[in-house]
Amino acid sequence: MLEGFFFWRNTMKHKHIIKSLPLLASILGRKYGVQVRIGGDKAFTNGNIIQLPSLPLDCDDTLLGLIRGYVDHEAAHIRDTDFDALKAANLTPLEKHIWNTIEDWRVENVLAAIYPGCRENFQWLIRHFFLPKSAKRKPKAPPTEPAMQILEWLLITVRSWDVGELNAERDFLRASAEIYYSGLTHELEPVLRLIPKNCSSTLDAFGFACEITDIIRKYATSLSSNKTRQGKER
């Protein structure tokens, strides 16, 4: 009986929390009428609707952490991402992927500066998704494209700016990338160091994403040319 009561009580609490999400998102996003939908396996927003993935109703701490982090994150995009500029930018898939990594960090920090409590929610979400569950790690086999090997390192590097516990994972990924793509992280790091103090808008994030993409493409072209030349010499 008691188990049933506690399950009912927790379910009702979850329903009340979920009902409050549109109002919370509207306040944080500084936009009236934001809708919050739940379902699927991704979190995203188009500027008017926040889509949250299906949430685990049987886990209080995880549920609340996910709700707070997801809603704050997507509301940050609604508040500060220029969606019109995004539509007009015509980014390539690689440019958009890198832009999203940078823009996620940027909008979170803008919102956290206004609502300091949001920073704790963002840090919880980062730890939940990106902090390794085990200290025992082995380098992954490199993918066929250098860009794919580097993307994970870029993501963890940017996320480590707000969660220092990711530094070890960042260094592991960097060392792993350097084994296969020597010198590429060295070329990218000066650009990354400029972002924290020089990325104040969606357009700035576009610029950095395109610059990073150009470096990766040039490296990939050079790598391919060297392999072709070495093959001919043999």
Side-chain angles (χ1 to χ4, degrees):
M1 291 291 291
L2 283 177
E3 289 181 359
F5 169 75
F6 285 123
F7 176 80
W8 173 83
R9 186 186 67 177
N10 288 338
T11 300
M12 292 302 295
K13 181 172 68 173
H14 296 151
K15 288 182 178 179
H16 288 309
I17 291 171
I18 290 171
K19 283 183 178 180
S20 71
L21 296 184
L23 176 60
L24 175 62
S26 294
I27 293 171
L28 294 178
R30 199 171 54 185
K31 185 173 183 177
Y32 178 74
V34 175
Q35 298 179 46
V36 177
R37 298 176 181 175
I38 298 176
D41 59 358
K42 293 182 180 180
F44 60 88
T45 183
N46 61 7
N48 297 303
I49 298 171
I50 291 177
Q51 180 72 44
L52 301 181
S54 298
L55 299 169
L57 294 179
D58 60 341
C59 184
D60 280 350
D61 291 340
T62 300
L63 172 69
L64 292 176
L66 289 171
I67 287 176
R68 289 167 179 159
Y70 279 139
V71 171
D72 288 3
H73 177 85
E74 301 306 336
H77 278 298
I78 290 175
R79 187 184 188 96
D80 213 62
T81 290
D82 187 338
F83 287 95
D84 291 334
L86 176 59
K87 291 177 182 178
N90 195 30
L91 299 176
T92 67
L94 178 58
E95 289 169 342
K96 188 173 182 179
H97 184 99
I98 296 173
W99 166 79
N100 192 63
T101 294
I102 298 169
E103 184 75 350
D104 281 351
W105 168 84
R106 187 187 72 79
V107 298
E108 285 180 2
N109 277 268
V110 170
L111 189 63
I114 301 168
Y115 299 104
C118 291
R119 187 174 300 281
E120 294 182 10
N121 296 336
F122 294 141
Q123 290 174 337
W124 183 94
L125 201 63
I126 292 168
R127 291 186 180 99
H128 178 76
F129 283 113
F130 302 124
L131 199 62
K133 302 298 187 293
S134 171
K136 296 181 180 180
R137 296 294 304 274
K138 294 182 179 179
K140 299 177 182 178
T144 55
E145 292 292 333
M148 298 307 296
Q149 174 74 7
I150 294 300
L151 291 181
E152 188 175 2
W153 169 74
L154 283 171
L155 173 63
I156 298 302
T157 296
V158 171
R159 286 313 189 174
S160 71
W161 296 342
D162 292 322
V163 176
E165 296 99 307
L166 286 173
N167 288 347
E169 176 73 355
R170 175 203 62 200
D171 294 343
F172 168 83
L173 291 169
R174 182 182 182 279
S176 178
E178 281 296 307
I179 292 173
Y180 306 107
Y181 310 111
S182 178
L184 181 51
T185 60
H186 292 287
E187 293 185 40
L188 293 171
E189 283 173 330
V191 180
L192 290 172
R193 284 195 290 268
L194 293 174
I195 292 175
K197 293 185 178 180
N198 297 280
C199 190
S200 58
S201 70
T202 297
L203 293 178
D204 288 340
F206 287 156
F208 282 113
C210 290
E211 187 173 356
I212 290 170
T213 301
D214 285 343
I215 292 172
I216 293 173
R217 283 175 177 156
K218 289 177 181 177
Y219 184 94
T221 300
S222 175
L223 187 66
S224 178
S225 297
N226 289 338
K227 287 183 178 179
T228 300
R229 185 170 58 253
Q230 290 173 1
K232 290 180 178 179
E233 290 175 353
R234 292 176 185 175

